Amino acid sequence: MKKELQKEFIQILNKPKKVVIIPHKNPDGDALGSTLALNFFLNKTGHQSHVVSPNEYPDFLNWLPGQEGILKHSTETDKAVELIEAADLIFTLDFNSLGRVEMLEPHINASSAKKIMIDHHQEPSDYADIMYSDSNIGSTCEMVYNLISHLDAAQIDQKIATCLYTGIMTDSGSFRFPSTTSKTHHVIAELIDKGANHSEIHQNIYDTFTFDRLRLLGTALTNLKKIEELPVVYITISQEELNKNNFKKGDTEGFVNYGLSLVGISVAVIMIENEQEQIIKMSFRSKGAFSVNDFARTYFNGGGHHNAAGGVSKLSLSETESKFINSISKVKNLLQ
Ligand code: 5GP
Ligand code: MN
């Protein structure tokens, strides 16, 4: 973190402020971990801070310290909007374009609060007054750790450590993605020293499948297809298949990664039908040089990171499947 930026943060937080912290829609472990950790820190250091999430988050995150205090705009709309209107500062965490918060976007635009972005995705847009954006860092949680440790490291307690550990772990695929550095491991060691219980956190996140969710994984793996001649696999899940397995938000999290566990495969994709929103939600994963960020941006109105990105399609599931096969064939020279 640059010295200049540290100074800007120190200056803007030198008096008590009304703060709202916002993760992206459908927040994941990194988005929730980073917002909750920063929220604890700001409330401990004299500010009045709240987390406002665009919508619900999956059950496997509903044990995180402080999650019970999160205001969900989707169900507590008036309260969430009031907080945004009254805020002096709005932190936006783990995303870099306001489209990622959908219904909250007009409220953030209308607010006179100073906007602060903390994020690690590529190609940030320029809505923020203060921007801590670094796509070389594996998680927003690691960035929030950097910020807090510059401001007042002594405030990192067990709750903050638990939230930060969770997001670093989930965004790094349990410390295996290339974005994991020795610095990441130093931060993790520090968080364990501050009380994060790594074993319990891993179990809370990864070993809490319902029977329905595991059956849905079975369906997903049955639907796995390989594109002939290309190192590419994809999974489709229809709304009917979701319904049959009593789908709940978050149930398909991580399914796309199974494709990459195959030998010789460098791109894995999942396409999930969402009848209510009339979209197909897509997740892209790659190993090595192929940029799924570029691919998702070019063909599926999405983005993310070099090796992990998302996007959407407004076609039917089978049309989306065809469009994907066509699109990936166009860039086959980039695939190893
Ligand atoms: P996931 O596939 O796990 O939903 O997301 C992978 C990465 O891509 C995450 O960093 C996520 O924030 C980003 N991402 C997911 N969906 C979208 C999308 O529709 N647009 C953009 N720009 N990024 C996305
Ligand atoms: Mn993240």
Side-chain angles (χ1 to χ4, degrees):
M1 199 176 174
K2 293 207 177 95
K3 280 262 168 345
E4 275 310 300
L5 194 56
Q6 288 176 33
K7 274 191 211 151
E8 279 189 73
F9 275 110
I10 290 169
Q11 202 169 17
I12 205 150
L13 293 169
N14 72 355
K15 281 198 205 111
K17 294 272 163 68
K18 284 188 205 138
V19 182
V20 169
I21 311 174
I22 302 177
H24 56 76
K25 190 185 171 201
N26 300 324
D28 57 8
D30 189 31
L32 276 195
S34 58
T35 50
L36 290 169
L38 184 61
N39 192 51
F40 277 126
F41 175 80
L42 292 175
N43 282 317
K44 278 179 92 169
T45 52
H47 305 281
Q48 254 185 65
S49 176
H50 296 271
V51 176
V52 173
S53 173
N55 67 343
E56 290 289 334
Y57 44 87
D59 281 356
F60 63 80
L61 296 171
N62 73 6
W63 57 273
L64 276 169
Q67 58 82 27
E68 63 287 347
I70 295 175
L71 265 165
K72 291 156 209 137
H73 176 258
S74 49
T75 51
E76 295 149 290
T77 312
D78 292 347
K79 257 185 171 171
V81 171
E82 265 168 43
L83 280 173
I84 292 175
E85 282 172 353
D88 305 312
L89 296 181
I90 296 177
F91 280 82
T92 65
L93 264 56
D94 201 36
F95 64 95
N96 63 15
S97 79
L98 289 179
R100 302 280 334 271
V101 292
E102 291 187 3
M103 313 289 267
L104 282 181
E105 179 171 8
H107 301 295
I108 298 175
N109 279 329
S111 155
S112 58
K114 284 242 182 289
K115 325 273 178 347
I116 304 173
M117 177 201 296
I118 305 179
D119 180 66
H120 66 132
H121 294 87
Q122 293 174 327
E123 301 175 51
S125 53
D126 66 353
Y127 63 84
D129 299 290
I130 298 180
M131 235 167 106
Y132 178 24
S133 164
D134 189 342
S135 61
N136 292 316
I137 301 181
S139 61
T140 301
C141 278
E142 190 171 327
M143 301 175 78
V144 167
Y145 174 87
N146 292 342
L147 175 63
I148 296 180
S149 63
H150 286 305
L151 293 172
D152 189 356
Q155 299 295 342
I156 301 178
D157 55 17
Q158 185 175 23
K159 289 177 181 170
I160 292 177
T162 302
C163 293
L164 293 179
Y165 185 104
T166 301
I168 296 174
M169 177 190 85
T170 54
D171 256 33
S172 65
S174 301
F175 318 111
R176 61 202 282 262
F177 297 155
S179 56
T180 308
T181 61
S182 65
K183 167 82 196 302
T184 312
H185 284 282
H186 282 295
V187 171
I188 283 297
E190 185 65 26
L191 296 176
I192 291 173
D193 286 344
K194 298 279 188 183
N197 184 333
H198 62 277
S199 188
E200 223 168 71
I201 296 171
H202 280 257
Q203 279 183 37
N204 284 343
I205 295 285
Y206 297 117
D207 302 338
T208 49
F209 272 55
T210 58
F211 202 78
D212 282 326
R213 187 177 177 197
L214 204 57
R215 293 286 292 255
L216 184 61
L217 174 61
T219 303
L221 295 179
T222 306
N223 293 353
L224 181 78
K225 286 189 191 148
K226 179 172 181 312
I227 301 184
E228 238 176 273
E229 316 267 310
L230 294 183
V232 178
V233 291
Y234 65 90
I235 291 169
T236 55
I237 308 183
S238 67
Q239 183 70 57
E240 196 185 336
E241 288 167 324
L242 295 174
N243 296 347
K244 215 190 262 172
N245 294 289
N246 303 312
F247 170 76
K248 287 201 7 231
K249 186 176 273 306
D251 277 356
T252 55
E253 191 85 19
F255 285 11
V256 63
N257 298 315
Y258 283 89
L260 275 194
S261 67
L262 284 161
V263 65
I265 292 301
S266 50
V267 175
V269 178
I270 192 164
M271 308 172 208
I272 303 167
E273 187 173 28
N274 182 333
E275 219 163 54
Q276 199 191 346
E277 293 188 26
Q278 302 245 311
I279 57 165
I280 309 297
K281 183 67 195 158
M282 310 188 63
S283 286
F284 306 91
R285 299 291 185 270
S286 67
K287 276 191 292 215
F290 186 79
S291 168
V292 284
N293 174 46
D294 291 346
F295 183 76
R297 256 170 219 280
T298 309
Y299 296 102
F300 292 101
N301 196 29
H305 308 286
H306 182 82
N307 293 128
V312 284
S313 158
K314 297 203 162 141
L315 304 170
S316 70
L317 188 55
S318 65
E319 286 165 347
T320 302
E321 184 178 347
S322 304
K323 179 177 172 189
F324 169 66
I325 295 170
N326 272 326
S327 315
I328 199 83
S329 302
K330 285 187 198 150
V331 293
K332 66 179 173 199
N333 57 319
L334 301 174
L335 292 160
Q336 295 142 334

